[in-house]
Amino acid sequence: MMNELLADVIEAHGRLDRWQSVALGEATIVTGGGLWGLKGLIQDPNPRHMTVSLHEERASLKPFGDPDWHTEFTPERIAIVRSDGSVVNERMHPRASFAGHSFDTPWDPLHRAYFNGYAMWTYLTTPFLFTMEGIRVQEVEPWAEGSRPWRVLRVEFPDAIATHSRVQDFYFGEDLSLRRHDYTVDVAGGFAAAQIVHDYIEADGICLPSKRRAYLRGPGHRPNLDVLLVSIDISDVRFT
């Protein structure tokens, strides 16, 4: 039986039957923030095209590194591929390549492609992915944000799903829209992050936030708004 809060959140984001009728999500994304420099990577403001499968964990980003290249992501493989299908570089079981990493350990392009793949898949499928097999959801103590409480879903992911961390918290406002997303970034030493989300849009009957801003999470679970790690702007969303 579905958690009561989750059922209401799903309803507010477009209904489960609508989600089950589509299979593919596409969006234009623009990313920024300080994390990339810490990882020794160059970040530009150019828009890129993100494609995700909605009912299995699979994603692709283009262009990636070269105008003719794109990524192919699944939890067990990350690859950089040319438009003709030939492989530029790939890594099997990519999660293992982050062993021993800390907050500022440099990343190579495959590290970045893997991180991008699982993160954007998570963001573009929330909250509907919480209904997938093996995911456990419970409502926990609400969060006091000013004078208004936010209700919180704690989500525990199985090992088969690649994501930031096994346990993550999702905060919902009075209108049941997602306001904040807390997690640890296990692929970067397990630092605590708080992601603020806003500017909801509707695409093909599905509602989602179009802006995400991830910060270090400090004492009292408060985001440190002076340290912007990652910014993501999402537009031109389609679900088919």
Side-chain angles (χ1 to χ4, degrees), residues 192-215:
Q195 188 175 121
I196 308 302
V197 307
H198 52 93
D199 285 24
Y200 258 68
I201 57 175
E202 181 178 339
D204 300 306
I206 305 297
C207 299
L208 71 161
S210 65
K211 296 188 184 299
R212 290 176 171 268
R213 302 291 185 266
Y215 301 91

Side-chain angles (χ1 to χ4, degrees), residues 49-199:
H49 185 77
M50 192 80 212
T51 303
V52 299
S53 296
L54 303 182
H55 306 294
E56 61 176 336
E57 194 172 10
R58 185 179 298 272
S60 178
L61 178 72
K62 66 178 181 182
F64 187 85
D66 181 279
D68 188 55
W69 297 354
H70 65 274
T71 66
E72 292 181 354
F73 160 81
T74 66
E76 295 304 318
R77 175 181 177 266
I78 187 65
I80 302 169
V81 181
R82 299 181 183 90
S83 60
D84 65 4
S86 59
V87 174
V88 177
N89 202 358
E90 69 178 339
R91 179 174 290 150
M92 307 303 293
H93 310 296
R95 194 79 171 200
S97 69
F98 294 91
H101 278 214
S102 63
F103 181 60
D104 58 357
T105 302
W107 281 353
D108 64 28
L110 289 174
H111 287 128
R112 181 177 190 161
Y114 174 82
F115 177 82
N116 176 85
Y118 82 65
M120 289 308 306
W121 180 83
T122 300
Y123 303 155
L124 291 173
T125 60
T126 296
F128 299 95
L129 75 96
F130 304 160
T131 65
M132 293 177 67
E133 184 177 357
I135 293 180
R136 295 193 291 181
V137 180
Q138 64 174 319
E139 184 173 3
V140 296
E141 184 178 350
W143 171 262
E145 185 67 25
S147 61
R148 298 182 176 181
W150 290 350
R151 297 175 71 181
V152 183
L153 284 177
R154 179 158 293 162
V155 180
E156 184 176 348
F157 294 89
D159 290 340
I161 291 180
T163 185
H164 289 303
S165 54
R166 293 277 71 83
V167 178
Q168 303 177 31
D169 288 341
F170 297 80
Y171 300 66
F172 297 91
E174 291 179 318
D175 61 355
L176 299 177
S177 64
L178 182 65
R179 303 296 182 86
R180 176 173 154 179
H181 174 195
D182 284 5
Y183 47 88
T184 61
V185 185
D186 290 352
V187 297
F191 70 84
Q195 188 175 121
I196 308 302
V197 307
H198 52 93
D199 285 24

